[in-house]
Amino acid sequence: MKRALITGITGQDGSYLSEFLLEKGYEVHGIVRRSSTENFERIAHLAGKIHLHQADLLDQLSIIDVMREVKPDEVYNLAAMSFVPTSWKQPVLTGEFTAIGVTRMLEAIRLLGRDRIRFYQASSSEMFGKVVEVPQKETTPFYPRSPYGVAKVYGHWITVNYRESYGMFCCSGILFNHESERRGREFVTRKVSDGVARIKLGLARTLKLGNLEAQRDWGFAGDYVRAMWLMLQQDQPDDYVIATGKTHTVRRLVELAFDVVGLNWQKYVEIDPTLVRPAEVDLLIGDASKARAKLGWKPEVTFEQLVERMVLADLARLEGKPMPDFKAKGI
Ligand code: NDP
Ligand code: GDR
């Protein structure tokens, strides 16, 4: 039985990856940081099936301790300060978690299993930032536009560097935005699906948003964790862009989400200038042809299905009903 260690297991991707690896027969371990109230909502349904260990990406020895205890075959480093606006408010902490945290993970592996442990780093399309080339692929130069993006560029290159310096099996997955009903509520897709559901149910009157013109390549998180795993099953470590290859404006996202409940978005959406970012990433659209050719990966869920799924999930949640059966609905 293979053993996987996941940092960021309490997050959106951590929960989907845990489910995916359990289905593949893995023993799944996760790193959680201590807090005064537990934050295990997304993995509560996996209780008893996964093993949790207390550690923090800020604390090198805690990571070494867990690595020594678990002896993983594969490590997925998903932990990060992942909300872009917060990275301007806490730029130093963002660097500590999201950049130097990667080195701490790699150092623990170098010390305890550099020939044996395979490592996945959660890199991001935010590294592309300002539009240099469209669509963005593995060779597109980085030009990050936020402290978060800058930290992820460091995480990417230190991963490449440990591969080249020590011959370690390290992969960097450059993932474009991926969403689900488990997405944090501050991210725009979930903010919109939650807002639409509230308006439909009479629980809210308006939805405040920032820049409606930004364009993103949005996919479904469940599809993207499969790509993470595939990267670690190859003969050689490498870096891959994971994306749908289609882009949409925030405006289109809003329009589609209101369409799901039969409402006209223009009656409810207000622009709040305080939500506009100091520097914006205007256009993301990924070229995942390398992943398609080498990993055999392609996304299954379309943008339209994703939006419908998220709105229906938020409606059900707010009404206290069970989650819809998305497989049966074909979304
Ligand atoms: P989430 O914000 O949902 O989850 C982040 C996770 O990191 C949480 O489990 C959080 O724990 C944990 N974490 C944060 N800081 C620390 C720390 N110091 N020590 C230990 N754990 C910590 O993110 P996603 O699941 O959406 O994303 C996963 C990764 O992929 C992130 O690195 C993100 O930057 C990256 N990424 C995400 C994309 C997306 O569209 N979702 C696209 C590209 C990259 P806690 O619950 O305690 O806060
Ligand atoms: P992003 O995701 O910054 O791309 O990072 P987010 O959903 O926060 O923003 C997407 C776009 O929507 C615009 N926007 C708003 N965003 C938020 N959050 N709230 C609003 O009210 C709003 N109005 C408009 C933003 O300006 C932006 O252009 C996500 C994170 O998951 C990162 O961790 C990850 O690396 C990247 O995706 C790929």
Side-chain angles (χ1 to χ4, degrees):
M1 186 188 265
K2 273 197 189 171
R3 223 171 288 136
L5 176 63
I6 304 173
T7 74
I9 196 165
T10 56
Q12 171 189 258
D13 291 6
S15 67
Y16 281 108
L17 181 62
S18 298
E19 286 170 5
F20 178 86
L21 293 175
L22 285 171
E23 267 176 36
K24 290 258 170 233
Y26 277 66
E27 186 178 303
V28 175
H29 295 256
I31 284 179
V32 292
R33 48 183 177 167
R34 194 260 161 196
S35 69
S36 63
T37 50
E38 273 189 0
N39 173 23
F40 298 167
E41 195 188 328
R42 295 185 181 102
I43 49 172
H45 62 296
L46 303 177
K49 296 183 183 161
I50 55 177
H51 309 266
L52 300 180
H53 307 263
Q54 235 175 55
D56 197 301
L57 252 61
L58 298 180
D59 187 330
Q60 178 77 70
L61 284 181
S62 71
I63 295 169
I64 290 175
D65 268 349
V66 174
M67 202 76 78
R68 189 178 282 142
E69 195 187 329
V70 173
K71 297 187 180 55
D73 301 289
E74 297 172 9
V75 172
Y76 296 85
N77 184 38
L78 310 184
M81 200 308 292
S82 74
F83 188 50
V84 173
T86 300
S87 76
W88 277 285
K89 297 208 184 297
Q90 301 179 347
V92 176
L93 193 64
T94 299
E96 284 287 350
F97 283 177
T98 308
I100 307 296
V102 188
T103 310
R104 294 192 188 98
M105 293 300 296
L106 288 165
E107 276 294 277
I109 294 174
R110 187 180 67 79
L111 284 171
L112 296 171
R114 70 190 238 186
D115 301 328
R116 187 175 49 78
I117 302 175
R118 297 186 167 207
F119 178 75
Y120 171 84
Q121 166 58 15
S123 290
S124 163
S125 51
E126 281 293 298
M127 302 190 303
F128 296 123
K130 200 166 181 171
V131 181
V132 174
E133 184 181 30
V134 176
Q136 291 102 7
K137 49 183 186 282
E138 291 79 4
T139 51
T140 303
F142 299 139
Y143 192 144
R145 297 270 284 165
S146 63
Y148 168 82
V150 174
K152 282 286 180 187
V153 171
Y154 175 97
H156 172 80
W157 283 117
I158 200 71
T159 301
V160 173
N161 182 257
Y162 272 57
R163 180 166 78 217
E164 294 177 354
S165 302
Y166 303 113
M168 286 164 50
F169 196 108
C170 300
C171 298
S172 171
I174 307 175
L175 272 52
F176 282 59
N177 300 52
H178 46 277
E179 320 292 316
S180 71
E181 58 277 12
R182 297 184 198 167
R183 188 58 142 152
R185 281 199 196 99
E186 68 273 53
F187 297 93
V188 76
T189 51
R190 184 71 198 286
K191 186 173 172 183
V192 169
S193 64
D194 181 63
V196 166
R198 281 175 194 277
I199 289 169
K200 179 66 182 175
L201 298 175
L203 302 171
R205 288 177 183 202
T206 56
L207 174 59
K208 288 191 173 155
L209 293 171
N211 177 14
L212 299 187
E213 306 314 324
Q215 290 171 269
R216 288 290 183 278
D217 180 331
W218 278 295
F220 171 55
D223 285 339
Y224 285 46
V225 299
R226 196 168 68 246
M228 298 175 186
W229 175 78
L230 281 168
M231 286 179 215
L232 296 198
Q233 312 314 309
Q234 305 307 304
D235 291 337
Q236 297 299 327
D238 208 341
D239 309 320
Y240 297 89
V241 158
I242 302 296
T244 70
K246 296 200 174 86
T247 196
H248 304 271
T249 58
V250 174
R251 183 185 297 274
R252 179 71 186 136
L253 159 73
V254 170
E255 189 180 44
L256 273 176
F258 275 93
D259 279 354
V260 174
V261 297
L263 295 176
N264 176 359
W265 70 275
Q266 280 160 320
K267 289 191 184 156
Y268 305 98
V269 171
E270 287 177 7
I271 302 302
D272 179 349
T274 64
L275 295 169
V276 175
R277 300 176 180 185
E280 179 63 283
V281 172
D282 295 319
L283 169 62
L284 289 175
I285 174 165
D287 174 358
S289 45
K290 178 174 168 184
R292 187 180 279 255
K294 294 202 170 174
L295 305 177
W297 180 86
K298 64 179 171 54
E300 306 282 338
V301 177
T302 67
F303 176 63
E304 290 74 14
Q305 289 171 330
L306 175 67
V307 175
E308 185 180 354
R309 177 184 176 121
M310 291 180 70
V311 173
L312 294 181
D314 273 317
L315 278 170
R317 184 181 52 79
L318 288 166
E319 291 181 300
K321 293 184 180 161
M323 273 294 135
D325 183 346
F326 296 118
K327 265 196 190 133
K329 282 180 175 293
I331 52 174

